[in-house]
Amino acid sequence: MSSSPLLPFSIVALTILLFGGCHCSHHTITVQTLIPSSACSSEEVAHQSLKVFHSEGPCAERTFGEQKSESSHLEFLTRDEHRAESLRQRRNAAVPRTQRSARPVVIPARSGIALGTGNYVVTLGIGTPKKDVTVVFDTGSDLTWVQCEPCIGSCYAQQGPIFDPRNSTSYKNISCDSPECSDLIPATGHNSGCSSGSCVYGVLYGDGSFSVGFYAQETITLQGTEILAGVKIGCGTHNKGLFGLSAGLLGLGRAEVSLVSQTASKYKRVFSYCLPSNPSNLGYLRLGSTPRISRIGYTPMLTDASLPSFYFVEIVGITVGGQKLSIPGSVFSTAGAIFDSGTVITRLPPAAYAAMRTAFREQLTMYPTAPALSILDTCYNFTGYDIVSIPKISFNFRGNVSLDVHVSGILYVAKISQACLAFAGNENPSSVAIIGNAQQKTYQVVYDLARGAIGLGAGGCS
C-alpha cells in the first residue's frame, strides 16, 4: 500500500460523441457527463472474476451502505501526494534497472475512493466458515491483511463485522521461529516480532497509516467457490489510518509474501485487472493466465533494486492531441516508471510534464481557465458549455505498446467550473514516474511475472 490513495468520486466517465467514425486527435464530450451517475450498472462481470468497484460511487452502496467518505478534493489529492512521495522516498537514486524475466479466477472489482491505500476494492471470503470482507487491492503492497478481533490496540471503523479468527476452524498463527516469519522483513520494511510464540507483523505506510497484528495461515475464498487454503495473511489487531470502510488490504506485489507469489503454482504468477471508467460501473480482478481480450501488447517488466516489489516499465514517448512531444529519452531513463494501482494521478518527470502541460494548454485556449487545485495546475471552467473538445493523450512504451488514456482519465473534475488536467509533475528529475490508476481505466492490464512482461489491451472491461 505504502499509503495508496483513492480514486476520486468526481473523476467520472465522459461520453464521447462520435461523428461519422472519425479517428480524431481530440475527444468531443458533453459537459453534462461530468456529473456522476446516481445509478449502479446492472452489468455483471464474467464468472470467476472479482468485481472492482468505487467505494463512493453508487455500486459501493451495496457493500458500504449509505456511509460516504467526507474527504474533500484537496484532502484526496493530498493523500494521493502522500502515496507518491512515499514511493519517491523508498527509491534510491541512480540504482540501475534490469529486466526480469491453473485455472484463472476473475473477481468483480469496484473503485474504492474511501480507502487511503488503494482506490479499488474487491470482496473476498476469509476463514471457515467464510466471512465476506471488502479489501483494497494494491500492486504496490505485498502483505495481505484484514482487521481482526480482539482489537488489542485499536481498529478503525469498517463496513460490516471485523473478522474474528476464534470463529474460524482454518485459522492458525505462524510461529516466531518459522521461515515464513522471516519473510516478513523484506515485505514490510520492519522486523517481525514475537508474542507468546506467535509471529507478529508490523507494517507502516507512507502516510502514517499502519497495521500490527499476528501473521497467520487462513483460507481465502474467491467468488464463493475458488478456495485457497493455507494463505499467509496478517490478522491486524491494531490498525489506524486512511483505509476508509475497507476491511484491509490485498497485496499484489512481487515479494514472497504477496498473494501472487503464494499462488504461483496455481495461477502461474499472472494476474490482470480492468478498472471501470465510471464509478457506476464494475471492473474485475483476474488471477490466472487466460486473457479477457485477444489483442494485448506486451512491454518488458523491469526491476529497480530499491523498489523490488514494484512493476517498472520504460516510457519511450508521450503524444498529446496527435502530436508526439519533444522529450529527450534521458528524461524517462533517468526517472524510470512504474504501473501502480494505488496511486490515482499520474506523476511525470518535470521536463515531461512541462511539455505535456504546454501542449495541452495550447489546444484549450478557447476555454476560460480556473484556479489550480492542489497539485493540479491546469484547470478550466466549462460553465455555460454544452460540448467541449479535449486533446487525446497517449503513452508509448518499449515494444511498440501504447496506452491511449480514456477520456475519463484525462480530467479530474472537482466541479464543472474546475476541471483539471489529471497529471502532475515530480519536482526531482530522478523521482520515479508513476502511471496512476486514473490513466489505466478501461484497459486490461496484465502482470505476467513468469514472462517478465506487462500487457495492455484496450477495451478490457467489456
Side-chain angles (χ1 to χ4, degrees):
M1 166 186 127
S2 86
S3 115
S4 329
L6 348 154
L7 181 65
F9 178 66
S10 56
I11 297 187
V12 299
L14 310 177
T15 301
I16 305 174
L17 303 182
L18 302 178
F19 296 99
C22 171
H23 296 285
C24 304
S25 60
H26 284 62
H27 295 291
T28 303
I29 60 177
T30 57
V31 173
Q32 274 190 329
T33 58
L34 296 175
I35 305 299
S37 171
S38 60
C40 179
S41 170
S42 60
E43 296 179 5
E44 294 296 330
V45 301
H47 180 60
Q48 297 183 346
S49 293
L50 286 179
K51 296 178 182 177
V52 170
F53 67 98
H54 196 299
S55 71
E56 285 196 354
C59 293
E61 295 182 14
R62 299 178 180 179
T63 301
F64 292 129
E66 297 300 320
Q67 187 172 357
K68 300 289 187 182
S69 168
E70 298 179 356
S71 304
S72 67
H73 295 290
L74 289 174
E75 289 172 335
F76 160 74
L77 291 170
T78 297
R79 292 177 183 179
D80 200 49
E81 181 60 15
H82 282 317
R83 165 76 176 200
E85 180 60 25
S86 70
L87 301 185
R88 299 183 194 114
Q89 291 178 358
R90 287 172 57 184
R91 184 187 183 221
N92 298 321
V95 177
R97 288 170 295 280
T98 56
Q99 184 173 342
R100 265 183 83 168
S101 327
R103 178 187 178 190
V105 58
V106 187
I107 311 163
R110 288 165 273 186
S111 174
I113 182 175
L115 306 166
T117 159
N119 307 59
Y120 288 90
V121 291
V122 295
T123 299
L124 311 171
I126 298 290
T128 307
K130 76 176 182 69
K131 302 295 182 182
D132 286 342
V133 294
T134 299
V135 294
V136 176
F137 73 86
D138 186 10
T139 60
S141 295
D142 296 303
L143 181 67
T144 295
W145 61 267
V146 295
Q147 293 202 114
C148 287
E149 295 283 9
C151 291
I152 298 172
S154 64
C155 288
Y156 58 85
Q158 71 172 58
Q159 182 66 30
I162 294 175
F163 177 68
D164 192 337
R166 295 169 294 188
N167 298 327
S168 172
T169 59
S170 52
Y171 179 89
K172 180 181 180 181
N173 280 342
I174 291 173
S175 65
C176 295
D177 55 0
S178 67
E180 291 83 359
C181 195
S182 300
D183 288 341
L184 283 172
I185 298 175
T188 64
H190 299 277
N191 291 330
S192 54
C194 191
S195 177
S196 302
S198 296
C199 185
V200 174
Y201 76 93
V203 55
L204 176 66
Y205 300 108
D207 63 355
S209 302
F210 62 83
S211 177
V212 178
F214 292 99
Y215 196 40
Q217 288 185 323
E218 183 55 290
T219 295
I220 292 179
T221 304
L222 310 177
Q223 279 298 83
T225 58
E226 191 79 5
I227 298 175
L228 306 176
V231 177
K232 294 181 284 293
I233 67 169
C235 193
T237 58
H238 190 186
N239 318 286
K240 186 176 182 180
L242 304 176
F243 304 110
L245 299 175
S246 76
L249 183 70
L250 175 62
L252 296 175
R254 299 163 76 174
E256 290 302 312
V257 301
S258 77
L259 187 67
V260 180
S261 296
Q262 290 193 59
T263 59
S265 62
K266 187 177 185 67
Y267 300 122
K268 311 306 179 185
R269 299 172 73 215
V270 179
F271 71 95
S272 63
Y273 56 73
C274 187
L275 309 178
S277 63
N278 193 310
S280 64
N281 294 336
L282 298 175
Y284 62 83
L285 168 64
R286 184 182 186 90
L287 301 176
S289 59
T290 305
R292 283 285 294 264
I293 57 180
S294 58
R295 288 180 292 183
I296 297 178
Y298 286 88
T299 186
M301 180 187 295
L302 308 178
T303 300
D304 186 292
S306 63
L307 292 175
S309 290
F310 283 82
Y311 298 96
F312 277 80
V313 293
E314 181 181 343
I315 301 174
V316 297
I318 300 175
T319 300
V320 177
Q323 299 178 359
K324 185 174 181 178
L325 303 181
S326 180
I327 304 172
S330 59
V331 169
F332 298 120
S333 61
T334 297
I338 61 173
F339 268 82
D340 184 30
S341 70
T343 300
V344 179
I345 302 298
T346 288
R347 303 312 203 277
L348 296 172
Y353 176 68
M356 172 187 284
R357 176 180 59 192
T358 296
F360 193 83
R361 288 177 175 178
E362 287 176 348
Q363 299 184 50
L364 269 77
T365 56
M366 70 289 291
Y367 303 117
T369 59
L373 179 64
S374 183
I375 59 173
L376 308 180
D377 60 9
T378 299
C379 304
Y380 296 89
N381 184 350
F382 294 144
T383 302
Y385 290 86
D386 294 325
I387 295 175
V388 294
S389 179
I390 306 298
K392 295 181 179 180
I393 295 178
S394 297
F395 284 84
N396 302 309
F397 302 95
R398 190 207 295 184
N400 196 28
V401 176
S402 295
L403 188 158
D404 299 326
V405 179
H406 190 269
V407 63
S408 62
I410 295 176
L411 294 176
Y412 179 102
V413 184
K415 49 190 174 182
I416 298 300
S417 60
Q418 194 175 31
C420 305
L421 178 64
F423 296 80
N426 289 328
E427 292 186 3
N428 192 322
S430 64
S431 293
V432 64
I434 306 169
I435 309 299
N437 61 42
Q439 287 69 44
Q440 299 176 38
K441 290 185 290 185
T442 75
Y443 270 75
Q444 182 178 7
V445 185
V446 182
Y447 296 78
D448 191 333
L449 281 74
R451 180 176 175 176
I454 291 180
L456 296 172
C461 291
S462 60

